[in-house]
Amino acid sequence: MNKLKKGDSVIVIAGKDKGKKGEILKVIEPNKLLIANINLAKKHVKPNPNKQESGGIIEKEMPIQISNVMILNPISKKGDRVGMKTLENGKKVRVYKSSKEVIDI
């Protein structure tokens, strides 16, 4: 079970976008993430009449190392570490290390 999943809110703790918050768009195994509006790069695109695309310069999210982000704890509004816990019914869930609260059920 991965500690970070698609849809989680995260905060960047290292790199050029340090301090920015975003949502995970995609997890690229084993250790990269795509985060909305984080680590943007300019890409030059040629026009394609078959797909009705216009050419130009677009900004695109690039992958970022999973070690450079922390999950955002909504209670403390800070980055937090993630731990694992097994419930009574045998299901594994993620928990915040600081408050021991369950992230997802």
Side-chain angles (χ1 to χ4, degrees):
M1 184 177 206
N2 287 335
K3 292 190 176 184
L4 296 176
K5 294 182 177 180
K6 179 180 175 179
D8 285 345
S9 294
V10 293
I11 185 167
V12 180
I13 59 170
K16 68 177 184 177
D17 293 322
K18 182 177 179 178
K20 291 186 181 178
K21 299 171 186 171
E23 186 175 316
I24 297 177
L25 299 174
K26 185 177 180 182
V27 177
I28 304 168
E29 295 296 332
N31 55 3
K32 299 249 184 187
L33 302 171
L34 277 183
I35 304 172
N37 297 323
I38 302 291
N39 199 21
L40 294 175
K42 292 184 186 282
K43 181 175 169 98
H44 297 262
V45 179
K46 290 176 100 176
N48 188 347
N50 295 336
K51 295 183 182 178
Q52 301 298 326
E53 291 180 358
S54 61
I57 302 171
I58 61 168
E59 287 196 333
K60 179 181 177 183
E61 290 99 1
M62 298 303 288
I64 188 170
Q65 283 282 336
I66 202 167
S67 63
N68 293 336
V69 299
M70 290 181 86
I71 194 162
L72 190 64
N73 191 336
I75 298 163
S76 66
K77 304 282 192 268
K78 293 182 180 178
D80 208 343
R81 292 183 296 159
V82 178
M84 301 302 224
K85 181 179 178 182
T86 305
L87 299 177
E88 296 83 31
N89 60 4
K91 185 176 179 186
K92 282 177 78 174
V93 293
R94 301 178 300 159
V95 294
Y96 294 114
K97 286 266 191 168
S98 63
S99 61
K100 305 289 188 245
E101 289 189 35
V102 176
I103 298 173
D104 49 2
I105 295 176

